[in-house]
């Protein structure tokens, strides 16, 4: 059997919408707006989800998301990829946060997962996370429950100078509970070391990250995430 695909491009900007279908689409959009344009809380501090921020430095919104998934699965630490934070916008201090805002920031439907990893594996994961700082790659980690010092001038793979978990130096031989997302658990964004960890909560069993963040904000009512020195980078 020989099969040859053929494609025809249709410029939809020149197409007049069918009135019946347009009305049906509008009805679904209105229903979605009712569900999503719901205020879940307020941020007392400014938030910045612009690409260069979440992929190149500790970000207040990254801290918020990492704190939320860490709390949702009662993990020691959390690591999530900055590239998964996507709305590319700024929120002024005092902004109301809606469900739509959270789903705009986390649009991929990723699930919160929980792994058991050794300190050595966590260190390797962080080296991967900081390996492409110059390219503002999506693997840049946003973290919770730990602090990291990094020298971006060193070669990739040897940039992590120190890591502390709960105020104590990371123990390479100790096992830690790590909250992350199903994309990274499968080795996405170069986090292949996560495949070697013990899965406690898989993507099949985990909740939507966005739902965990919504629940976290709603439970608090008012949040005040800020850049607090979780990630210190010598450039």
């Amino acid at each position: 059997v020989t099969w040859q695909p053929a494609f025809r491009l249709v410029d939809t900007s020149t197409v007049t919408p069918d009135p019946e279908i347009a009305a049906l689409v509008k009805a679904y959009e209105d229903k979605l707006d009712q569900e999503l344009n719901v205020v879940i809380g307020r941020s007392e501090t400014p938030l910045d989800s612009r690409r260069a921020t979440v992929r190149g430095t500790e970000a207040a919104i990254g801290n918020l998301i990492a704190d939320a998934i860490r709390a949702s699965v009662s993990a020691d630490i959390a690591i999530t990829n900055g590239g998964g934070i996507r709305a590319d916008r700024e929120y002024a201090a005092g902004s109301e946060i809606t469900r739509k805002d959270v789903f705009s920031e986390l649009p991929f439907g990723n699930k919160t997962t929980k792994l058991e990893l050794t300190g050595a594996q966590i260190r390797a994961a962080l080296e991967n996370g900081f390996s492409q700082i110059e390219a503002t790659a999506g693997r840049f980690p946003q973290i919770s429950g730990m602090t990291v010092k990094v020298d971006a001038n060193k070669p990739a793979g040897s940039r992590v100078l120190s890591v502390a978990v709960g105020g104590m130096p990371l123990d390479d031989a100790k096992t830690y509970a790590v909250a992350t997302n199903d994309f990274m658990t499968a080795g996405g964004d170069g986090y292949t070391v996560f495949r070697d960890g013990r899965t406690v909560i898989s993507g099949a069993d985990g909740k939507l990250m966005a739902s965990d963040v919504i629940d976290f904000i709603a439970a608090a009512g008012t949040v005040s995430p800020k850049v607090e020195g979780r990630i210190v980078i010598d450039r």
Side-chain angles (χ1 to χ4, degrees):
V1 176
T2 300
W3 178 77
Q4 182 68 38
F7 301 96
R8 180 170 60 94
L9 298 178
V10 177
D11 183 0
T12 56
S13 66
T14 65
V15 175
T16 301
D18 178 84
E20 184 177 353
I21 297 300
L24 185 62
V25 170
K26 179 66 165 55
Y28 279 111
E29 287 177 339
D30 290 345
K31 187 175 181 180
L32 275 173
D33 283 344
Q34 290 177 4
E35 296 293 330
L36 294 178
N37 290 329
V38 174
V39 175
I40 55 172
R42 181 187 304 273
S43 178
E44 292 184 332
T45 51
L47 303 175
D48 183 354
S49 68
R50 290 176 297 176
R51 179 186 177 94
T53 302
V54 297
R55 293 171 176 238
T57 188
E58 176 190 348
I61 194 167
N63 290 350
L64 174 63
I65 292 168
D67 285 349
I69 65 171
R70 178 186 167 213
S72 74
V73 295
S74 301
D76 299 315
I77 64 172
I79 306 174
T80 192
N81 54 325
I85 304 171
R86 302 293 282 211
D88 197 31
R89 58 170 289 195
E90 294 178 275
Y91 306 76
S95 292
E96 292 182 330
I97 307 297
T98 66
R99 290 177 182 169
K100 185 175 183 179
D101 291 330
V102 177
F103 278 106
S104 296
E105 295 294 353
L106 301 170
F108 297 121
N110 290 130
K111 303 285 191 68
T112 300
T113 57
K114 183 178 182 179
L115 306 175
E116 287 185 350
L117 296 169
T118 65
Q121 290 171 323
I122 292 169
R123 194 181 303 276
L126 292 170
E127 287 288 7
N128 169 68
F130 296 112
S131 65
Q132 297 182 14
I133 294 176
E134 305 87 347
T136 58
R139 66 188 59 196
F140 187 93
Q142 298 293 333
I143 62 175
S144 174
M146 62 179 169
T147 56
V148 186
K149 292 184 179 180
V150 178
D151 187 345
N153 299 301
K154 291 193 172 186
S158 60
R159 291 178 169 176
V160 175
L161 303 180
S162 66
V163 184
V165 176
M168 299 295 293
L170 183 72
D171 184 341
D172 284 355
K174 183 178 176 179
T175 297
Y176 298 86
V178 181
T180 185
N181 63 66
D182 55 345
F183 170 69
M184 294 168 65
T185 294
D189 268 346
Y191 285 90
T192 54
V193 68
F194 280 2
R195 297 176 188 164
D196 300 328
R198 175 178 172 270
T199 301
V200 179
I201 299 175
S202 69
D205 300 319
K207 290 171 57 183
L208 280 174
M209 282 182 70
S211 295
D212 283 333
V213 175
I214 288 170
D215 291 345
F216 185 83
I217 296 171
T222 300
V223 294
S224 52
K226 55 185 178 296
V227 175
E228 55 191 31
R230 296 184 187 187
I231 300 172
V232 177
I233 304 176
D234 181 359
R235 299 178 190 271

